[in-house]
Amino acid sequence: MPRDERDRERWESDLHPENPEAVGYLERSLATSPVWQMGARALEQHVARRDPRLLDFLANAKNAPLGELEFDVLTWTITRWYQAGRPSDGRLAATLGELAYGLYGRRTGGMQYALIREALDRLFNVSLDLTVLTIEDGNERWLASKRRRIIQELSIHEPMTASAVKSSSTVEIRLGSWLVDQLDAHTVAAIAWQVLRGLSGIAKRLAIYLAAHAAEFAPITQHTERFTVTLTEELYEEFGITAARERDRRGSVARAAARIAQQDPRYTRLLVERSGAGYVLRAERPIAADVLPLPLPAPRSTPS
């Protein structure tokens, strides 16, 4: 392979917040769970919210809060798992410097390392009740699942020499076996890493939602495809929007859509508009233009 092509592939796979070609991967069940606290100034230790996919099911996050940094660290970890060849035992290793480079664009900074370690600890400690996406014969359905761990094992090894820097500290992670099964089953979505790192609050939550529903865009013309979702009480709750008045909740989604449109050039139209007696979020993009690549499905084992 020519060197310039190798350099291009390395740049495209390099998770860096200023790399417009970088793609992060997320598991759709986790990404769309309403337990993530986006934009919260103070994270709640225990979150319980209705999950719109199953009637009367409460999604729960116990023992540790999950915020924006935890989501991004998890996305970085899942992406690294794919880059490492999707090890079946869910184990992967990295340095704190590599994580800091992907998240903040540099390998130095004591405060950043402390935040990353705290996020890893929360991902290890949290216990989740959530709906899990299953695919059978090409059909998708959601099943209730309780007391799931995202990270099954976590070890951080600090170098003992006085001259060693924190960036060389090694992080060893083992993803939960259920999560590995989900990723192998291809319940995965892609999101532009620069967009994910550049957004916060409801805009970040909405960008994740759109990424998880990317396969639901449908052609409306020869050149354009569209995704439409009705703004409902359940959707507001899924996004963590708690304003008392509907127009204020709707305004939060509209402002979030405008921020995404500024950050993500793939959308030609992204707005809230009236439809009949209610309102919808409408997203449009050119067909096959800058579609983010998904990892290839896991190879099927063949009998010997």
Side-chain angles (χ1 to χ4, degrees):
M1 181 184 295
R3 179 170 180 175
D4 59 344
E5 188 172 343
R6 288 199 305 269
D7 290 343
R8 179 183 60 80
E9 288 192 356
R10 183 165 56 249
W11 170 245
E12 289 182 355
S13 66
D14 195 3
L15 290 188
H16 185 283
E18 295 180 5
N19 178 3
E21 305 295 332
V23 179
Y25 296 118
L26 44 89
E27 198 282 317
R28 289 164 58 195
S29 307
L30 278 171
T32 57
S33 176
V35 299
W36 299 95
Q37 302 178 60
M38 301 295 183
R41 294 182 180 179
L43 299 181
E44 298 178 19
Q45 193 73 10
H46 176 203
V47 170
R49 292 174 179 160
R50 284 184 302 167
D51 192 312
R53 287 170 288 268
L54 287 180
L55 186 63
D56 296 332
F57 181 80
L58 274 181
N60 277 277
K62 304 174 184 176
N63 303 331
L66 295 176
E68 294 183 5
L69 183 57
E70 285 73 31
F71 189 94
D72 292 357
V73 169
L74 176 60
T75 303
W76 188 97
T77 302
I78 289 174
T79 306
R80 171 56 69 93
W81 179 83
Y82 278 113
Q83 293 173 345
R86 56 173 79 204
S88 59
D89 60 2
R91 294 184 184 276
L92 61 143
T95 65
L96 282 179
E98 289 174 311
L99 266 162
Y101 178 80
L103 292 163
Y104 301 105
R106 57 184 183 276
R107 299 176 187 271
T108 58
M111 180 180 295
Q112 284 77 16
Y113 290 142
L115 291 172
I116 291 170
R117 293 189 62 156
E118 183 179 36
L120 286 167
D121 285 341
R122 288 173 171 174
L123 289 168
F124 172 71
N125 289 320
V126 73
S127 174
L128 294 177
D129 295 349
L130 74 165
T131 53
V132 174
L133 175 63
T134 62
I135 301 177
E136 298 177 2
D137 299 324
N139 297 316
E140 296 184 355
R141 65 188 183 119
W142 296 88
L143 299 175
S145 185
K146 296 191 174 184
R147 292 183 292 278
R148 293 296 186 181
R149 298 282 297 278
I150 297 176
I151 294 178
Q152 198 69 34
E153 297 178 18
L154 173 65
S155 300
I156 300 178
H157 304 281
E158 303 261 4
M160 300 302 294
T161 59
S163 59
V165 294
K166 283 190 176 293
S167 61
S168 62
S169 298
T170 303
V171 180
E172 294 181 357
I173 295 170
R174 182 184 178 190
L175 296 174
S177 57
W178 74 275
L179 179 52
V180 173
D181 291 343
Q182 289 296 112
L183 296 172
D184 271 337
H186 217 56
T187 61
V188 62
I191 190 167
W193 182 249
Q194 186 181 48
V195 172
L196 182 66
R197 287 299 292 156
L199 294 172
S200 62
I202 304 303
K204 189 184 191 83
R205 191 74 190 86
L206 179 56
I208 294 164
Y209 178 88
L210 290 171
H213 290 270
E216 298 174 34
F217 279 74
I220 58 169
T221 70
Q222 186 177 357
H223 305 289
T224 304
E225 57 186 7
R226 174 188 290 168
F227 171 75
T228 303
V229 61
T230 302
L231 300 185
T232 63
E233 295 298 324
E234 291 78 14
L235 190 66
Y236 291 139
E237 186 165 7
E238 182 177 344
F239 290 167
I241 300 174
T242 58
R245 296 185 299 183
E246 195 281 334
R247 69 178 184 184
D248 293 333
R249 297 195 291 273
R250 183 184 355 123
S252 294
V253 176
R255 289 188 294 273
R259 286 197 291 272
I260 295 172
Q262 292 176 345
Q263 191 87 7
D264 194 338
R266 292 177 305 121
Y267 294 108
T268 55
R269 194 176 187 213
L270 186 56
L271 49 78
V272 171
E273 60 186 14
R274 180 177 284 279
S275 176
Y279 290 85
V280 298
L281 172 73
R282 206 178 300 280
E284 295 179 3
R285 65 188 185 190
I287 293 177
D290 297 326
V291 174
L292 299 178
L294 288 172
L296 294 175
R300 294 181 179 272
S301 57
T302 55
S304 56

